[in-house]
Amino acid sequence: MFKAIADVLRAIGGAVATVVTLPFRLVARLFGGVSDSAHGRH
């Protein structure tokens, strides 16, 4: 019983982690480019 719940939670956690990290990676790349250009101007 508990093992089945743990497996489901692990599967959901993996899917959520993939969906959540994707936009963050995109935003990080965006802000990385912005900060790079900002530092370049100074």
Side-chain angles (χ1 to χ4, degrees):
M1 178 70 182
F2 282 115
K3 189 180 180 297
I5 294 170
D7 287 340
V8 170
L9 286 177
R10 198 174 300 131
I12 292 170
V16 169
T18 306
V19 171
V20 167
T21 51
L22 251 161
F24 271 115
R25 236 176 274 165
L26 208 109
V27 169
R29 193 181 295 169
L30 195 82
F31 275 110
V34 169
S35 64
D36 283 347
S37 63
H39 284 303
R41 280 185 199 137
H42 286 293

